[in-house]
Amino acid sequence: MAIRPIKIAPSILAADFAHLGDAVAKVAAAGADAIHVDVMDGHFVPNISIGIPVVRCLRRVTDLPIDAHLMISDPMGYASAFVEAGVDGLTVHVEGAPHLHRLLQHIRGLGVRVGVSLNPATPAIALSEILNDIDLVLVMTVNPGFGGQMFIESVLPKIRQVREMLDQAHSPAELEVDGGIGPETAKRVVDAGATMLVSGTAIFDAPRGISAAIEAIRQAAGNEQERR
Ligand code: DX5
Ligand code: ZN
């Protein structure tokens, strides 16, 4: 069985927005695998963050994949604008999409990676009908809306469950986790089956700096056994 490294996607929500280009350059130099952009509309979640113009600017300064995590009420209405701005992947919430299958087909048609996210209270079974339509599952380990929250332990069994569902479906989809991820929680989520870790505060607010923080998460996470 081949060993493959866990992917790390820094969430720029925790970066200094006055120096965003520098923050992205630093995480890239430290070996980050993708840039995670948290898009909040003050409606689907009780916070407002950043959106399309910021993605467009970041696209000019990084070759890393840009993943937009859409925490917005109308993902269908904005997906193509994010793709035009330069994202490589779009992740949408099950809870915000009454016509999830249609939305996923729409994103697929735009030619970017298709991701689906589950809030902590949403069961894994919500994925059962769309498992073959996605490239990534994002299991939220906090309630979306804010960085710097505490990791919710009770989500761990759901990560295992999603892992089993993906394996049973022979799906190569990435299993991503987001919220409260740092060196202390990385191993637990990877042991449960996560392959990609989003981390904001633990990277950008790390007292020893960005590079050391990414390395610490990588060390803690270890490698993942290739499952397929
Ligand atoms: C929460 C966001 C996360 C958040 C992660 O709504 O989706 O990406 O920024 O931040 P930390 O790592 O600080 O929990
Ligand atoms: Zn996120």
Side-chain angles (χ1 to χ4, degrees), residues 80-210:
S80 67
F82 277 97
V83 172
E84 277 162 31
V87 299
D88 298 281
L90 285 174
T91 298
V92 294
H93 273 261
V94 166
E95 304 84 7
H99 308 290
L100 183 62
H101 184 268
R102 177 187 289 154
L103 174 61
L104 300 181
Q105 300 308 311
H106 176 63
I107 296 172
R108 175 72 67 210
L110 296 170
V112 296
R113 187 163 70 168
V114 182
V116 158
S117 184
L118 303 177
N119 279 339
T122 305
I125 195 74
L127 300 171
S128 66
E129 307 306 316
I130 46 98
L131 271 181
N132 295 315
D133 301 306
I134 52 180
D135 305 309
L136 178 146
V137 176
L138 171 53
V139 176
M140 291 304 299
T141 42
V142 298
N143 286 293
F146 302 92
Q149 301 181 80
M150 271 241 306
F151 177 79
I152 301 175
E153 296 279 339
S154 58
V155 177
L156 279 168
K158 184 166 68 181
I159 300 172
R160 274 184 224 110
Q161 225 180 323
V162 172
R163 176 79 271 157
E164 275 169 31
M165 289 168 76
L166 291 173
D167 287 352
Q168 266 174 21
H170 302 289
S171 166
E174 212 71 71
L175 204 180
E176 187 173 55
V177 290
D178 183 4
I181 303 296
E184 306 76 28
T185 44
K187 186 167 167 40
R188 263 175 293 162
V189 290
V190 168
D191 284 350
T195 58
M196 190 160 181
L197 313 180
V198 175
S199 177
T201 310
I203 289 177
F204 290 103
D205 286 356
R208 288 169 54 229
I210 286 172

Side-chain angles (χ1 to χ4, degrees), residues 11 36-38 69 71 138 140 178 198:
S11 159
H36 183 89
V37 179
D38 286 306
H69 175 193
M71 290 162 275
L138 171 53
M140 291 304 299
D178 183 4
V198 175

